[in-house]
Amino acid sequence: MIKPIKIDSHYKPSEKLLQGRSILITGAGDGIGKELAISAAMHGAEPILLGRTQAKLEQVYDLIEGQTGIQPIICPLDLEELNEDRADELANSLSSELNGKLDGLVHNAGLLGQRTPIQNYSAKTWNSVMQVNINACFILSKALIPLMSASPDASMIFTSSGVGRTGKAFWGAYSVSKFAVEGLAQLLSEELSETTSIRVNTVNPGITRTSMRAAAAPAENPESIKPPADIMYGYLYLLGPDSKDMTGQSIDL
Ligand code: NDP
């Protein structure tokens, strides 16, 4: 049963909220992930930028270095190609760079796939969307849980959607993958709450001005919807110590 809750949109993160925290963000080259990487660094975090387009990650690196002096770690990786071996390699290399500890993991990367009835849905697209939106979250979480367990206060965030909580016509694999995200987050939050300090929650960003939204609703005026900056309060709250006791929640921003 999913009962979404809200975070106070007036939440004011302290300037040093994420000081000393290393936070891996997938899909950090664009949209919400890009904004979050910059925002986290502005609050003291060391971001790890994972994404499939190196040039975009380098641009985010330059922005962060220019604004904060922090030099993020860049991980160019196509999540469609992710398997357990590649994830273990990533975990090993991060372990040496981060002294064995990771404080945050934001599963943000996403693929929209087709907006079409199931009868017309391509199985190839279905598999790609499921691989990026849910399988990669499972594989990456599994590989990084040991590093996160070494943190005294770790936060894992999954990215859901309105159509991951109520099925809607023509959203195909995207909708189904987001339901799966909710399930994975629920069971992980239970498993990890007993033995680690890792909390696990899902976030539905709501309609937000990004390339994905433009592809999903091409007739919509982008100026009529909120930019990613307007929802950073929720991510910062969940990544920092103020949400220490919150786990297993589905959050609407
Ligand atoms: P964008 O399309 O703007 O950004 C998605 C990011 O994910 C991009 O940086 C993209 O890389 C990356 N990505 C996609 N496929 C892969 C892959 N195979 N390997 C690595 N990285 C990949 O989308 P949003 O910022 O809008 O979406 C962020 C999250 O929020 C998604 O999970 C989405 O489902 C969710 N969401 C968004 C809503 C909205 O209205 N915007 C509403 C509800 C949920 P590249 O830049 O190289 O393409």
Side-chain angles (χ1 to χ4, degrees), residues 77-97:
L77 178 66
D78 184 346
L79 295 171
E80 257 190 273
E81 310 293 325
L82 186 69
N83 56 30
E84 285 177 302
D85 289 344
R86 183 67 193 88
D88 288 342
E89 263 172 44
L90 175 70
N92 287 337
S93 84
L94 286 180
S95 180
S96 24
E97 289 191 70

Side-chain angles (χ1 to χ4, degrees), residues 29-131:
D30 213 337
I32 296 168
K34 173 181 178 179
E35 187 72 34
L36 177 56
I38 296 167
S39 215
M42 302 279 275
H43 289 84
E46 178 183 6
I48 298 124
L49 313 175
L50 189 151
R52 67 179 163 185
T53 309
Q54 178 144 1
K56 287 187 180 182
L57 298 178
E58 285 170 2
Q59 198 208 9
V60 178
Y61 177 104
D62 289 343
L63 283 170
I64 290 175
E65 192 187 29
Q67 286 180 32
T68 66
I70 293 167
Q71 297 180 321
I73 296 172
I74 289 193
C75 299
L77 178 66
D78 184 346
L79 295 171
E80 257 190 273
E81 310 293 325
L82 186 69
N83 56 30
E84 285 177 302
D85 289 344
R86 183 67 193 88
D88 288 342
E89 263 172 44
L90 175 70
N92 287 337
S93 84
L94 286 180
S95 180
S96 24
E97 289 191 70
L98 302 172
N99 296 323
K101 169 179 87 75
L102 178 67
D103 305 287
L105 170 58
V106 186
H107 294 290
N108 163 78
L111 264 191
L112 177 64
Q114 293 168 282
R115 300 280 327 275
T116 193
I118 289 295
Q119 281 163 292
N120 299 339
Y121 209 96
S122 139
K124 187 169 182 294
T125 305
W126 182 279
N127 288 335
S128 297
V129 172
M130 295 304 274
Q131 167 64 18

Side-chain angles (χ1 to χ4, degrees), residues 26-33 50-53 56 77-80 107-111 132-133 159-162 174 178 204-213 235:
T26 71
D30 213 337
I32 296 168
L50 189 151
R52 67 179 163 185
T53 309
K56 287 187 180 182
L77 178 66
D78 184 346
L79 295 171
E80 257 190 273
H107 294 290
N108 163 78
L111 264 191
V132 174
N133 293 7
T159 311
S160 185
S161 162
Y174 181 83
K178 297 297 189 181
N204 166 21
I207 293 172
T208 308
R209 194 189 306 159
T210 65
S211 320
M212 182 187 286
R213 180 62 196 178
Y235 289 91

Side-chain angles (χ1 to χ4, degrees), residues 153 199 201 241-247 249:
D153 179 28
R199 57 187 179 283
N201 297 287
D242 296 326
S243 62
K244 200 169 173 43
D245 296 324
M246 185 183 277
T247 195
Q249 299 295 330

Side-chain angles (χ1 to χ4, degrees), residues 142-216:
K142 184 178 160 184
L144 294 176
I145 282 169
L147 273 182
M148 295 187 81
S149 301
S151 164
D153 179 28
S155 173
M156 195 185 298
I157 302 176
F158 286 87
T159 311
S160 185
S161 162
V163 297
R165 295 169 180 170
T166 308
K168 255 187 147 181
F170 316 131
W171 283 85
Y174 181 83
S175 175
V176 173
S177 68
K178 297 297 189 181
F179 269 86
V181 157
E182 295 283 352
L184 177 58
Q186 277 185 11
L187 69 87
L188 256 185
S189 77
E190 261 194 48
E191 289 178 7
L192 297 176
S193 67
E194 294 302 318
T195 50
T196 74
S197 65
I198 308 173
R199 57 187 179 283
V200 184
N201 297 287
T202 72
V203 160
N204 166 21
I207 293 172
T208 308
R209 194 189 306 159
T210 65
S211 320
M212 182 187 286
R213 180 62 196 178

